[in-house]
Amino acid sequence: MNRIQQLITANFDRYDGKDIEAYIRLGGFTAIKKAVEQGSDYVIDELKLAGIKGRGGAAYPTWKKWDAGRRRVAEQKFVICNADEGEPGTFKDREILKKDPYKVIEGMMISAYIFGAKKGFVYIREEYWDIQKTFKKAIEKANEAGYLGEGILGTDFDFTLEVFSGAGAYVCGEGSSLIESMEGHAGRPRIKSPRIGEKGYLGYPTLVNNVETLAGVTRILEMGASEYARYGTEKSKGTKVISVSGNVNRPGVYEVPFGVSLREIVYDVAGGVENDRPVKFLQLGGISGPLVPGSALDTKYAYETLDEKGFTVGSGSVVVVDDNNRIIDYLVSVSDFFYHESCGKCTPCREGKRQLTRLLKKFVDGTARLEDVNAIEKVANTMKHASFCGLGQTAPTAILSALKYFMPELWQLVEEGVHENVAEGEWK
Amino acid sequence: MNEYSQIDRVLQRYHYDSKALVNILQEVQETCKGRYISEATAEYVAERLDVTKSNVYEVVTFFAALREHPVGEVLIQLCNSTVCKVKKNIEVKNALEEALGIQMGETTKDKKFTLQYTTCFGACDVSPAVRVNKVVYGNLDRETTLALIAKLRREHCE
C-alpha cells in the first residue's frame, strides 16, 4: 500500500489554483454534471458507498446529513462551507482552499443542488485573509464562466456564493456559533434542538460542511465511489488529508489512505523525528484530541482502530512531540488555549478551564499535591459531561489522556515539589 | 462627520446590513487610527446600523481579530499554541523582546511596534511563527527573528 495517495489533493500543484480553464481541463465540473444528470438519489448512494464522514472532526456520515437535509421543505435554504479551520495543528483546509479552490466551489454546488439551496457562504477564518482574497476571485471567475449564478449547466439550478470572514474565535468552528457570527452577533453556540439543519442561518435549514468534505464529495463523484472505496480499510474507506507538525523533519499536508500506521505517518510520510529522538507522544485530531503515547505508534490510522483505543481522527492533525518536552508544559499550553477560547456562556467550561489552568500551573511551580491530581480529574470529567457545546466537552480530552498515560511523570513533579518545599521549609 | 467618512464608505459597501457586523467592524478597524474600535467608533457604527451599542461592544470584545485598544504601526503576534511551544517559540519571544526593548503585550514608546501573543493561526508547518500585520513569517529562531526586526525597522522607522 502506498503511504501517500493523491485523490482529494489530485490537483495540487497541477494548476495554480486561479485558472478555472485549467481546472476544467483537469476534469473540473464533471462531478456537478453527474449530480445534475443522475439526480440526488444517485449522489446519496455514491456518498454512502464511499463512506465519507465529516472531515472537520465530527465524523458524521455525510450521506446521512445530506439525506435528512434534502427532505426538509422550507421557503429558503442555505449551504455553508466551514473554512474556519481553528484546531491548533490543523492546516490542511488552508492548502485545499489555496491549491484547489474550484474543487471546494464544485462541492458546494453539489451540496446546494442536493439540499435545495440557492445561496451559499464560505466562512473562512480571518487568519487566512489572503485566501479569502483568492477565493473571492475564484468565485468571480466561476460566475463569469456560468458555473455560479442563474440557470447553471442549462438547468433551472440557481446558486450564488459569498465569502464571510471569521474574526478569530475558535468556538465559531462549531456550526451554530458560526451562524451566530454571520448574523452579527458574538459567536456563542445555540441550544439544540433545533439543529441548524432544521433552523440555521436566519432560522432556515442550513447545511454546513467542512472544506475537505466538500472537496472529497467532488472527487468521489468524479472518480466514482466504488473506485474511491478501494482505498482505505473496510470501515474507513478512502483517504484522509492530514496536517503533520511538531518535532518532525518534514511537517506539512499529506493525503494518506486510512489504515496506514501512525508510525508510517511519522517516519515515512513526515520524514521521522528531528535529531532522531524518540516520539514521546502525538496529539491527534486537534487540540481537543487525545494524546497518543509513543508506545501506540503501531496503531492504524482509521476511525475504528483509533476509536477502539480512545483516540480520534478528528480534524486530521498529527502533532508529533519528542522526549525533550515535558508533558506538563504541553498540558499547560492546551489549557491556556481553551481558557482563552472558552466563550464564557456556560459555567462548566468557563470556570472549569480557569480551575484546570490554575491546577496545572501548580505542577509547574512545584506546589502541586496529591489532592490536586484528583481535583484535575474531577474538574475535567465535569467539563466533559456538563459543558454546553463541543468546545467545553472536548477541552479536557488531552488532560484526561495524560492522566491515563503519563501519570508517573506527573507524580514525579508532585514528589519533587514536596522535597523542594520541605527543603525550603515551606511545606506545612 | 468628516472623520467618519471612511466608516460610512465601509457601511455603504455592506448596504448597512447589520448581519455583516463582524466583517464591517474588521474593515472599519483598519481605517481607524491605532487600528482599533474606540468607544466613539462603536457608538457611531451602532447608530448607523440601528443596533444596540452593547451588541457592537459585545462583538468587539468577543472576537480576537477586533481590538478595543490601539496598537502600534507594526503589530507582531507570536503564536503561543501547542506546536509553537514545542518548537521553542520561547527563543523567538526572547529575541523579540530584546530587540524591541518591550515585553509581550506592550507597545514601543514611539508607537511603532506592538508585541502580542496569539493563538494558533494555522502555520504549524513553519512553526515557530509570527504574524506581522497579518503576514506570516515562519521557521524562526533567534537569528532570523533579529533579522526580521531589523528589516521591519528599515521599512517603518526610516
Side-chain angles (χ1 to χ4, degrees), chain A residues 222-329:
Chain A
E222 223 172 70
M223 71 191 289
S226 53
E227 177 65 19
Y228 178 82
R230 283 180 45 222
Y231 298 87
T233 68
E234 179 59 31
K235 286 180 179 159
S236 305
K237 288 174 184 148
T239 56
K240 176 82 188 82
V241 186
I242 59 173
S243 323
V244 190
S245 65
N247 300 124
V248 284
N249 289 318
R250 287 199 303 271
V253 172
Y254 301 98
E255 185 174 355
V256 297
F258 283 112
V260 295
S261 73
L262 295 172
R263 187 181 302 281
E264 285 172 311
I265 289 175
V266 174
Y267 290 93
D268 302 331
V269 174
V273 182
E274 290 175 312
N275 306 314
D276 291 325
R277 299 202 71 93
V279 172
K280 181 164 184 170
F281 62 88
L282 311 177
Q283 188 173 24
L284 293 183
I287 201 161
S288 60
L291 306 184
V292 178
S295 58
L297 279 189
D298 289 313
T299 310
K300 292 210 177 317
Y301 192 74
Y303 292 112
E304 64 278 17
T305 38
L306 290 175
D307 283 353
E308 198 181 289
K309 294 190 176 177
F311 305 144
T312 182
V313 169
S315 67
S317 82
V318 180
V319 175
V320 182
V321 182
D322 72 22
D323 68 339
N324 263 333
N325 296 276
R326 292 198 309 172
I327 195 80
I328 188 66
D329 296 326

Side-chain angles (χ1 to χ4, degrees), chain A residues 116-247:
Chain A
K118 289 186 186 324
K119 172 100 194 163
F121 296 92
V122 188
Y123 188 102
I124 306 179
R125 69 185 306 205
E126 174 271 335
E127 291 83 348
Y128 297 169
W129 59 277
D130 47 345
I131 295 173
Q132 292 176 5
K133 279 190 186 170
T134 52
F135 211 91
K136 279 179 190 167
K137 280 195 188 130
I139 291 173
E140 258 173 51
K141 283 187 183 169
N143 272 318
E144 285 163 16
Y147 287 103
L148 293 173
E150 289 179 0
I152 296 164
L153 299 170
T155 65
D156 58 358
F157 173 41
D158 304 337
F159 183 54
T160 56
L161 202 49
E162 217 177 279
V163 170
F164 193 95
S165 171
Y170 171 80
V171 71
C172 287
E174 191 275 338
S176 68
S177 311
L178 182 149
I179 286 170
E180 279 291 305
S181 75
M182 287 179 59
E183 294 180 356
H185 308 293
R188 293 205 181 85
R190 292 177 181 169
I191 195 158
K192 292 168 188 146
S193 57
R195 294 192 164 267
I196 52 179
E198 297 163 55
K199 281 187 176 178
Y201 184 60
L202 307 180
Y204 294 109
T206 306
L207 180 66
V208 183
N209 287 288
N210 166 263
V211 172
E212 184 190 342
T213 313
L214 291 166
V217 166
T218 306
R219 187 61 180 141
I220 287 162
L221 292 187
E222 223 172 70
M223 71 191 289
S226 53
E227 177 65 19
Y228 178 82
R230 283 180 45 222
Y231 298 87
T233 68
E234 179 59 31
K235 286 180 179 159
S236 305
K237 288 174 184 148
T239 56
K240 176 82 188 82
V241 186
I242 59 173
S243 323
V244 190
S245 65
N247 300 124

